[in-house]
Amino acid sequence: MPSYKAPIDDVSFLLNDVFQFDRYDNLPGFSDASRDVRGAILEESAKFAEEVLQPLNLPGDQQGCTRHDDGRVTTPTGFKEAFRQYAEGGWLGLSAPAEYGGQGLPVTLTQMMSEFLTSANMAFGMYPGLTKGAMAALLVHGSDAQKQLFVPKMIAGEWTGTMNLTEPQCGTDLGLLRTKAVKQADGSYKITGTKIFISAGEHDLADNIIHLVLARIEGAPAGIKGISLFVVPKLAINADGSLGAPNGVSCGSIEHKMGIHANSTCVMNYDNATGWLVGEENKGMQGMFVMMNEARLGVGIQGLAMSEVAYQNAAAYARERLQGRALTGPQAPDKPADPIIVHPDIRRTLLSIRAFNEAARAMVVWTALKNDVAHRSDDAKDREAADELLGLMTPVLKGVLTDGGFANAVQAQQVFGGHGYIVEHGMEQFVRDARISMIYEGANGIQALDLVGRKLPRQGGRAAMAFFAEVSAFAKENDGSEAMKPFVAPLSAALGHLQQATMWLMQNALAKPDNAGAAATDYMKLFGLVVFGYMWARMAKVAQDKIAAGDGSAYLKTKLVTGRFFMERMLPETAIHLTRVQSGSATMMELPAEAF
Amino acid sequence: MPSYKAPIDDVSFLLNDVFQFDRYDNLPGFSDASRDVRGAILEESAKFAEEVLQPLNLPGDQQGCTRHDDGRVTTPTGFKEAFRQYAEGGWLGLSAPAEYGGQGLPVTLTQMMSEFLTSANMAFGMYPGLTKGAMAALLVHGSDAQKQLFVPKMIAGEWTGTMNLTEPQCGTDLGLLRTKAVKQADGSYKITGTKIFISAGEHDLADNIIHLVLARIEGAPAGIKGISLFVVPKLAINADGSLGAPNGVSCGSIEHKMGIHANSTCVMNYDNATGWLVGEENKGMQGMFVMMNEARLGVGIQGLAMSEVAYQNAAAYARERLQGRALTGPQAPDKPADPIIVHPDIRRTLLSIRAFNEAARAMVVWTALKNDVAHRSDDAKDREAADELLGLMTPVLKGVLTDGGFANAVQAQQVFGGHGYIVEHGMEQFVRDARISMIYEGANGIQALDLVGRKLPRQGGRAAMAFFAEVSAFAKENDGSEAMKPFVAPLSAALGHLQQATMWLMQNALAKPDNAGAAATDYMKLFGLVVFGYMWARMAKVAQDKIAAGDGSAYLKTKLVTGRFFMERMLPETAIHLTRVQSGSATMMELPAEAF
């Protein structure tokens, strides 16, 4: 059976030391999140993740969700009670506005908690995750009445939320969407169509499910300019707030899928279901993007979370499994064999995962703080800069953390040898669960295109230039430090590669857009490596300062060794990505479709 | 539902043109395999794979194997009949000696057929695969009586074979093996112990199962020097060849595993089972290595096979799935969207897989021919050189083809977006099935250690030097050709990296063995890339010559474009592997075990 321990030490180091959370005290909600309060929140959510959610993970995968003949869906044993505890703990509204019953605490804390929940039980974590996305869209684009009707119930966990975008013929290309909406005399709409891959589409965790649905109003323009967003409750809501008759929306089937079996992924049939417009007619993409951006950050965290729990179990196994002897001679001569952690190749594997996880976690905190600034600062310029950087980093975070998270789960499984392939050890579930994060909320190829085609060129590349300047400034500041040299020199080289790749895109992609498409994935990976390198350099600096100030903890020593491993073995991968970016699109576009 | 078409064109190009099969006419069996005979064999085995095995693959995964209370195991519907057809087709003995009922044809043809079978149905392919491994061990180390008793029945498919190595406490480190053997007055042994992960350990495909079992004779030395190999039939064999009472061996349970559900992976309990020694006492590792080397080549082919079938389905989906428009404007303006194959990122994905597959297939043919030479040539020097090269390439083929095969199955699944995660499309099964090949028959980290620690230094590095010389000579021969420059220049650079890495190992690994362990995986990948680069250069040369001679086929044009893609985007990865090799073991060995 796998186990999990939330990495509170590492989160605390990032919040307190590296990113100096207390500097943001002027933002609403931050002063309520003092060091002690943060600590208590992390401890409590860790406890919930470790003690309540983690034990449900393996059984939940094996039991899965069950659709009954009447369309009801039952979640695995224990999920309903766990969700009730989660809701009662107030976790759903941790960062939601106080006026709707939330606690108004920084988003940064919610993101850290998400990592814990997801490591413990990814399929469970998706239920509140979707609800938070739906709340975010309603809070930004809903009417006051809609906010007051839906958000408090969602914060309370009495109702949950969903996102209904995909249809059989329409995935990435939402312009192909067919679900239709017909306006009624009372201002409501009748919604009809079929949605697929709807996570948490139907279940038994809450009294009502609030579906946010993209549909096309009769007579609307073709393509994405004719798409509107609707809110469609599963059960009608009476004027007094009580629940009424079923609306015309039902779960037609549960998808049979590779993993996240404990999350009910539904085909949802809308048959003249009553819905209400959210935001303006034909402006549904705006609301969709609010949900989507929220979801993309959450999915990126899934990549980290799966990588972390897989790492922990692989490291524990490597310390315990006795097999063979060290190349340098027996290390545990009293035992029949040495633990496999004596082998360099096992350490290489573990450190590769660990170096990824710690950089990824730093990136999550760094961008989450930008998220808080973008939404809470009273300085318009600060808000804009933070929002632009968050926009630029969102596809990188989603793409790089989920690609890496999956690859790391596979590598962690490999440490177990044949035992990793066996269900009972839980490692293969991490792999199957982690796999979806590379696909949903925009497959990673789409993230790469979003980065290269939209986020990078926005405002003449201002956000990227600001990031490059920030990294350069950091490198310059630490230029004279001998101790920082193993971090600063590789970081500067990697930044140089990223700048060259960016220059190449500016010179070659405008005239020939296929060059952007051909470069996109490698550019995204290159970008991610540089962000990770920057995170490592910042962590190393703070660790060195703390050590110099007398902190002799093993945690800090391990941090520095792990950082050097990243700099020596992982960051240099930027070179191959630059080579690929610069190789252009000519060769891959040469063949006719039928040659493939 | 997934589909499959055996790549006969590509195999024929490799056999007939690139490796000039007819040059080997002087070897036994080759003259029986004329171009027409080869063609007929490929056609027939393709037909069997496509029409009989492929339709059983998805249902077989879903149904899985069933263990009954009495220990019997039932394979999925259709497997028994398919195995009967397979056996009656004579496929099990295609390359086996004629004196035992085989056809004596080149191993190279059997390997090509293995690719087809495995692409169509990997779980099925394992049943004959294990039987061939067991036959190989008996043919090399068995007594005449054993060969005559077992091999003809195995060739006929009436009996199948297994390999029993692993025990709960003993995977890679066979020295920890506990299964014991007690000698009886009649010369037989009583075998007692528990073996796990035994593929095809119990099933309903054959009348008897011939287990090859590693065990320790009472009083034998500790470690691998005290291990002997035994043959233990499931049912006793009477003097007249008829089957008798059950022997003391039974399937205790079927493992619950991530994939290859249609192959019965068993816990096998030996309880005073009667067995006979194969080869000499305490020399069991020799027989094990015969099976293991055979199996490693077969497992490498699994990597290719999964990559190929995943590619075919992804390419077909990419040609059909309409979503979005080309970056350069609509390519199918009459349709609601363009097929996604217009997108560079999709082509990048597909070409990466294809370039891998075609190089891997060339490597399989190249090494299979060495295998034939090593076993059939009447020139001792030729045999030795071929055997050394095959030994060097075996871990590379196993490690690189299975790592890449899995990664490619994942990338092919990604082309399907959300649909790739759904069971019915079959892509997720390819991923789950392909995953095991990286683990069994020596996890890939062990392959890398085998390469660096045993195969490379053997005979003072003679095999590697011969390979480097062969590649250099090829590069020199084609030095003046402008057409070959895009192939030869990157190949020479990559070979340079491999030579530098080899030199680094010679200088740094002897004194400090951890440097070898730390470098092993990257060295293996670097080696594989150079082999692939060499294969591509050879294929390109032949394709160019054929084109110059008037062959205008689309096949050859596609071959050259795919080869250039490999040279531009994939071969340059050698640089990062060299960097990692040269970074040594110091950082990763610095942390105490408890820091992980």
Side-chain angles (χ1 to χ4, degrees), chain A residues 171 323 413 435 573 580 596, chain B residues 171 323 413 435 573 580:
Chain A
Q323 204 75 189
Q413 179 190 26
R435 182 67 185 89
E573 287 167 25
R580 290 208 192 102
F596 282 84
Chain B
Q323 204 74 188
Q413 179 190 25
R435 182 68 185 88
E573 286 167 25
R580 291 208 192 102

Side-chain angles (χ1 to χ4, degrees), chain B residues 386-524:
Chain B
D387 188 59
E388 281 180 11
L389 191 116
L390 181 65
L392 180 71
M393 292 298 164
T394 297
V396 178
L397 189 129
K398 197 280 185 183
V400 171
L401 267 58
T402 61
D403 274 354
F406 173 75
N408 288 343
V410 171
Q411 285 306 307
Q413 179 190 25
Q414 189 75 10
V415 171
F416 278 69
H419 299 277
Y421 203 65
I422 303 298
V423 169
E424 286 77 2
H425 286 282
M427 300 303 288
E428 63 91 38
Q429 184 190 350
F430 297 144
V431 172
R432 288 185 291 102
D433 287 356
R435 182 68 185 88
I436 190 60
S437 310
M438 295 163 67
I439 298 172
Y440 61 16
E441 308 311 341
N444 286 355
I446 300 299
Q447 303 300 325
L449 282 178
D450 180 48
L451 173 66
V452 166
R454 300 180 353 146
K455 299 299 176 56
L456 181 65
R458 190 173 281 179
Q459 306 288 349
R462 192 163 65 187
M465 295 309 140
F467 171 68
F468 299 165
E470 182 176 333
V471 177
S472 291
F474 179 90
K476 204 166 177 188
E477 252 168 56
N478 293 281
D479 205 18
S481 157
E482 199 56 34
M484 279 300 286
K485 210 170 169 182
F487 297 92
V488 170
L491 175 61
S492 298
L495 177 64
H497 290 161
L498 180 58
Q499 287 170 318
Q500 279 178 267
T502 308
M503 184 76 76
W504 189 92
L505 280 172
M506 293 199 300
Q507 291 167 344
N508 295 281
L510 267 177
K512 207 174 167 191
D514 279 340
N515 278 332
T521 290
D522 280 287
Y523 186 78
M524 177 178 78

Side-chain angles (χ1 to χ4, degrees), chain B residues 141 351 383:
Chain B
H141 292 285
L351 276 172
R383 281 203 309 273

Side-chain angles (χ1 to χ4, degrees), chain B residues 268-564:
Chain B
M268 297 302 295
N269 296 321
Y270 291 83
D271 185 11
N272 275 317
T274 300
W276 289 270
L277 191 66
V278 178
E280 294 175 46
E281 282 193 4
N282 301 334
K283 296 278 171 68
M285 294 299 282
Q286 293 174 359
M288 193 282 291
F289 272 118
V290 173
M291 286 192 286
M292 193 57 117
N293 284 331
E294 179 89 9
R296 286 179 174 176
L297 296 169
V299 171
I301 292 172
Q302 289 179 340
L304 162 61
M306 288 292 99
S307 184
E308 173 66 29
V309 69
Y311 169 82
Q312 289 187 15
N313 283 278
Y317 189 80
R319 282 191 299 262
E320 284 159 21
R321 172 74 170 172
L322 304 178
Q323 204 74 188
R325 290 294 184 188
L327 296 169
T328 51
Q331 305 293 300
D334 51 322
K335 292 186 176 153
D338 289 337
I340 61 174
I341 201 160
V342 303
H343 299 301
D345 197 58
I346 297 287
R347 289 171 166 250
R348 178 191 63 78
T349 302
L350 291 174
L351 276 172
S352 301
I353 306 175
R354 188 182 181 116
F356 172 96
N357 293 351
E358 295 183 8
R361 187 173 295 118
M363 184 183 182
V364 169
V365 174
W366 181 59
T367 50
L369 285 167
K370 301 287 177 193
N371 199 339
D372 276 318
V373 172
H375 287 97
R376 301 182 183 209
S377 173
D378 53 12
D379 182 322
K381 237 182 96 192
D382 282 359
R383 281 203 309 273
E384 188 180 42
D387 188 59
E388 281 180 11
L389 191 116
L390 181 65
L392 180 71
M393 292 298 164
T394 297
V396 178
L397 189 129
K398 197 280 185 183
V400 171
L401 267 58
T402 61
D403 274 354
F406 173 75
N408 288 343
V410 171
Q411 285 306 307
Q413 179 190 25
Q414 189 75 10
V415 171
F416 278 69
H419 299 277
Y421 203 65
I422 303 298
V423 169
E424 286 77 2
H425 286 282
M427 300 303 288
E428 63 91 38
Q429 184 190 350
F430 297 144
V431 172
R432 288 185 291 102
D433 287 356
R435 182 68 185 88
I436 190 60
S437 310
M438 295 163 67
I439 298 172
Y440 61 16
E441 308 311 341
N444 286 355
I446 300 299
Q447 303 300 325
L449 282 178
D450 180 48
L451 173 66
V452 166
R454 300 180 353 146
K455 299 299 176 56
L456 181 65
R458 190 173 281 179
Q459 306 288 349
R462 192 163 65 187
M465 295 309 140
F467 171 68
F468 299 165
E470 182 176 333
V471 177
S472 291
F474 179 90
K476 204 166 177 188
E477 252 168 56
N478 293 281
D479 205 18
S481 157
E482 199 56 34
M484 279 300 286
K485 210 170 169 182
F487 297 92
V488 170
L491 175 61
S492 298
L495 177 64
H497 290 161
L498 180 58
Q499 287 170 318
Q500 279 178 267
T502 308
M503 184 76 76
W504 189 92
L505 280 172
M506 293 199 300
Q507 291 167 344
N508 295 281
L510 267 177
K512 207 174 167 191
D514 279 340
N515 278 332
T521 290
D522 280 287
Y523 186 78
M524 177 178 78
K525 287 178 188 283
L526 170 48
F527 213 118
L529 281 164
V530 174
V531 174
F532 278 22
Y534 177 48
M535 294 295 113
W536 266 117
R538 286 186 65 171
M539 290 191 283
K541 173 75 179 132
V542 174
Q544 287 174 359
D545 288 351
K546 287 186 70 140
I547 289 170
D551 185 335
S553 68
Y555 170 83
L556 292 177
K557 281 181 201 157
T558 303
K559 180 66 79 180
L560 286 175
V561 172
T562 309
R564 273 196 282 114

Side-chain angles (χ1 to χ4, degrees), chain A residues 306-325:
Chain A
M306 289 292 99
S307 184
E308 172 66 29
V309 70
Y311 169 82
Q312 289 187 15
N313 284 279
Y317 188 81
R319 283 191 299 261
E320 285 160 21
R321 172 75 170 172
L322 304 178
Q323 204 75 189
R325 290 293 183 188

Side-chain angles (χ1 to χ4, degrees), chain B residues 82-117:
Chain B
F83 189 76
R84 199 190 53 77
Q85 276 184 249
Y86 180 78
E88 285 176 0
W91 300 112
L92 269 158
L94 195 75
S95 304
E99 58 182 307
Y100 302 109
Q103 297 175 61
L105 290 166
V107 168
T108 306
L109 294 182
T110 293
Q111 300 294 57
M112 290 295 91
M113 188 181 68
S114 289
E115 186 200 324
F116 299 173
L117 300 186

